[in-house]
């Protein structure tokens, strides 16, 4: 057996009807291409989400109140009013809690903010100086809110870069200017660095004010709606979660954990949830792409069946000249494998190009998993064999006289 | 070499059974040139298919060089067709878009002979039938007679025990038909066994023995008394 010869023969047969061969290959190109592109899209978004969550600190715990009650109607989680700055201080200072390094109580709400003729609806966070360390936030200019600002309910604000753009124009020097929040003029004392992120959790579209200012002057409340806790290390997350949980239960005079009026979430919980969501998303996309691959395979099978019918006489002749079944099977199987292999190769290039363009357009990290390329090669070869098998067998089982008589 | 004993072939289509061959027996020894004649529907094509191991008889036995062909499986039949029989068809049956030399190489490919040897042998055989200068022409670039000569070269590729020709001159002008017959006689003189099916008596008369078939039975089997010989030799 000289393989170069059968391959040359197979290529010769495939080029006889270029249009038909081209269309069959196109089916595989689209199938393989969409698998690669969609898997890459899914993995890219997973990577983006993971990186974003990890950038918030991997030893971070977040305590939020569970849904409050308003006239017997349970409100959304986080809307309850039962966490206070005192709770935050207790977490930091209680002898029962040994694994906590720092605590940042926060009060967050959306509100309209104006500066001169510009205005924006943004997230205003009442924070303490600990916020910087706990939330791994850095300043690009100016200073952050100090303990003194908090004591004095100072009318100062630190802006995120997106808020600067919205209120003063892109790249404008905001420090020293003033913004109006809820009718109160606040002096801008600092701007944070850009942290990226998008959608409902844009970390750049924010304005920070002292917690006391937010509570008393802006929103009129005594509570906080989030306490961020920095544990000593990643290894003690579970212990920290337990310690904080029991401390708060005791402080809120609740006897058993099922009555807890708060949640404690770790970054890992959020990460796992996000990963499982994006994982499901990726699987769903790949499943859809796989369907188009199967359709492409059926296209190959269809073409091969037509070819077998067209070449019935040739098959009969080959058998009369001494071709065994396996010779005929090899010949036709090789043709379908060549079709799918060529389709697979172009499909990989097509898929990589498409995912690169998509990644650029929606500014997401561009990743091509070697495994998905390897899988595509394997699958396209496999499709050639699976969908080529039936036509090839059909050809090899033709009776030589019937085939020779066929007109 | 060939021994056919009481063979019959029945074709069953739906409810009608057609008896294509009815209790046929004969022997052919090595070196004979036999013509099988008969009107259409006489069963001569069926007989040819059985002799060529393309089909098996319904009853009776067919012994080819001591082997019972009726008892062989598909692959063994393929090997018989490959090594012991050289086919020459009425419509030449060259592979389309394939050069003469590649056509001649094909049976040797199925026998697993290395490429260099195949090429050498095919070139030699094409020389023998006078087509050395047409080796790389495809079927559509050759005349009917030339195509049939390529087919003869292909039939000889594996040095088969018998050459089976089914109406070899049926599609060819009479001058070229004479050339084909001349090649057959040369091959026969060189010791090849040839079985040729034809319905033209002047073609059949080139053979040494003629078997007449009618309605699936042998009606006459004897030597050709007015045997023709072609003296003109091969023109290319």
């Amino acid at each position: 057996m000289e393989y170069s010869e059968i391959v040359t023969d197979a290529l010769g047969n495939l080029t006889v009807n270029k249009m038909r061969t081209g269309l069959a290959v196109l089916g595989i190109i689209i199938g393989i291409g969409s698998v690669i592109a969609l898997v890459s899209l899914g993995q890219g978004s997973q990577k983006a989400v993971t990186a974003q969550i990890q950038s918030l600190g991997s030893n971070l715990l977040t305590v939020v109140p569970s849904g409050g009650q308003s006239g017997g109607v349970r409100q959304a989680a986080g809307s309850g009013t039962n966490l206070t700055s005192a709770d935050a201080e207790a977490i930091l200072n209680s002898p029962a809690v040994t694994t906590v390094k720092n605590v940042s109580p926060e009060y967050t709400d959306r509100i309209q903010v104006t500066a001169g003729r510009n205005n924006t609806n943004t997230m205003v966070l009442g924070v303490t100086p600990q916020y910087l360390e706990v939330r791994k936030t850095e300043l690009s200019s100016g200073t952050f809110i100090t303990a003194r600002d908090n004591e004095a309910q100072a009318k100062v604000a630190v802006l995120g870069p997106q808020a600067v753009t919205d209120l003063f124009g892109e790249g404008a020097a905001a420090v020293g200017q003033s913004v109006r929040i809820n009718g109160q003029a606040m002096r801008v004392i600092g701007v944070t660095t850009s942290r990226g992120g998008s959608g409902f959790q844009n970390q750049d579209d924010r304005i920070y004010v002292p917690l006391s200012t937010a509570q008393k002057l802006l929103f009129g409340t005594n509570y906080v709606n989030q306490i961020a806790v920095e544990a000593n290390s990643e290894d003690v997350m579970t212990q920290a979660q337990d310690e904080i949980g029991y401390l708060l239960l005791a402080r809120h005079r609740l006897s058993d954990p099922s009555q807890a009026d708060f949640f404690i979430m770790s970054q890992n919980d959020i990460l796992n949830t996000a990963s499982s969501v994006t994982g499901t998303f990726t699987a769903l996309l790949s499943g859809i792409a796989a369907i188009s691959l199967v359709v492409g395979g059926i296209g190959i099978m269809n073409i091969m069946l037509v070819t077998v019918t067209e070449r019935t006489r040739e098959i009969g002749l080959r058998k009369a000249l001494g071709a065994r079944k396996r010779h005929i099977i090899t010949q036709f199987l090789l043709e379908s494998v060549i079709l799918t292999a060529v389709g697979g190769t172009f499909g990989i290039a097509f898929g990589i190009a498409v995912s690169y363009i998509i990644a650029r357009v929606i500014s997401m990290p561009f990743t091509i998993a070697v495994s998905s390329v390897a899988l595509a090669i394997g699958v396209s070869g496999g499709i050639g064999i699976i969908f080529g098998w039936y036509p090839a067998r059909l050809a090899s089982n033709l009776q030589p006289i019937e085939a020779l008589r066929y007109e | 070499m060939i021994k056919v004993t009481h063979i019959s072939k029945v074709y069953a289509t739906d409810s009608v059974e057609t008896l294509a061959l009815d209790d046929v027996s004969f022997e052919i020894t090595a070196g004979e040139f036999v013509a099988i004649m008969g009107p259409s529907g006489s069963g001569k094509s069926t007989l040819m298919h059985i002799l060529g191991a393309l089909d098996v008889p319904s009853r009776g036995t067919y012994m080819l060089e001591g082997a019972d062909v009726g008892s062989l499986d598909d692959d063994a039949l393929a090997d018989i067709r490959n090594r012991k029989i050289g086919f020459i068809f009425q419509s030449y049956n060259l592979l389309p878009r394939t050069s003469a030399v590649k056509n001649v190489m094909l049976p040797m490919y199925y026998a697993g002979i290395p490429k260099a040897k195949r090429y050498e042998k095919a070139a030699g055989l094409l020389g023998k039938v006078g087509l050395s200068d047409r080796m790389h022409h495809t079927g559509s670039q050759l005349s009917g007679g030339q195509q049939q000569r390529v087919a003869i070269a292909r039939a000889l590729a594996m040095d088969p025990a018998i050459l089976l020709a089914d109406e070899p001159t049926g599609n060819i002008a009479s001058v070229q038909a004479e050339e084909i017959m001349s090649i057959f006689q040369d091959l026969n003189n060189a010791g090849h066994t040839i079985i040729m099916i034809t319905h033209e008596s002047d073609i059949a008369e080139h053979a040494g023995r003629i078997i007449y078939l009618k309605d699936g039975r042998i009606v006459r089997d004897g030597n050709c008394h007015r045997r023709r010989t072609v003296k003109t030799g091969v023109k290319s």
Side-chain angles (χ1 to χ4, degrees), chain A residues 89-107:
Chain A
E89 264 161 54
I91 291 170
L92 186 62
N93 299 326
S94 163
V97 180
T98 57
T99 47
V100 168
K101 198 200 275 179
N102 219 334
V103 172
S104 160
E106 297 155 16
Y107 189 91

Side-chain angles (χ1 to χ4, degrees), chain B residues 21-171:
Chain B
L21 280 180
D22 185 7
D23 195 26
V24 170
S25 301
F26 60 87
E27 270 186 64
I28 293 172
T29 52
E32 275 194 275
F33 184 177
V34 183
I36 296 174
M37 285 196 70
S40 59
S42 59
K44 56 187 196 301
S45 286
T46 305
L47 181 58
M48 157 102 179
H49 290 145
I50 290 172
L51 292 178
L54 292 167
D55 205 353
V56 287
S58 310
R59 284 187 294 276
T61 53
Y62 166 34
M63 305 291 287
L64 174 63
E65 291 194 312
D68 183 358
V69 175
S71 66
L72 300 174
D73 66 9
D74 278 359
D75 280 351
L77 286 175
D79 288 350
I80 293 262
R81 294 193 290 265
N82 186 235
R83 287 158 213 271
K84 303 218 162 158
I85 294 158
F87 284 99
I88 297 151
F89 302 96
Q90 178 174 4
S91 47
Y92 333 125
N93 281 341
L94 299 184
L95 282 186
R97 304 176 302 276
T98 306
S99 67
V101 67
K102 276 204 167 170
N103 266 289
V104 179
M105 284 161 72
L106 191 62
M108 296 185 273
Y109 166 75
Y110 288 130
I113 294 169
K115 192 176 181 184
K117 268 196 178 168
R118 270 187 276 152
Y119 187 85
E120 194 185 328
K121 178 102 192 237
L125 287 168
L126 283 171
K128 231 174 159 178
V129 296
L131 288 174
S132 293
D133 53 341
R134 297 275 195 282
M135 286 206 338
H136 300 288
H137 289 53
T138 62
S140 54
Q141 296 166 328
L142 297 169
S143 74
Q146 286 170 333
Q147 288 189 56
Q148 195 58 300
R149 280 188 272 154
V150 174
I152 292 170
R154 184 177 64 189
L156 291 169
M158 291 295 295
D159 298 311
I162 20 170
L163 286 178
L164 269 182
D166 186 3
E167 303 272 9
T169 57
N171 287 358

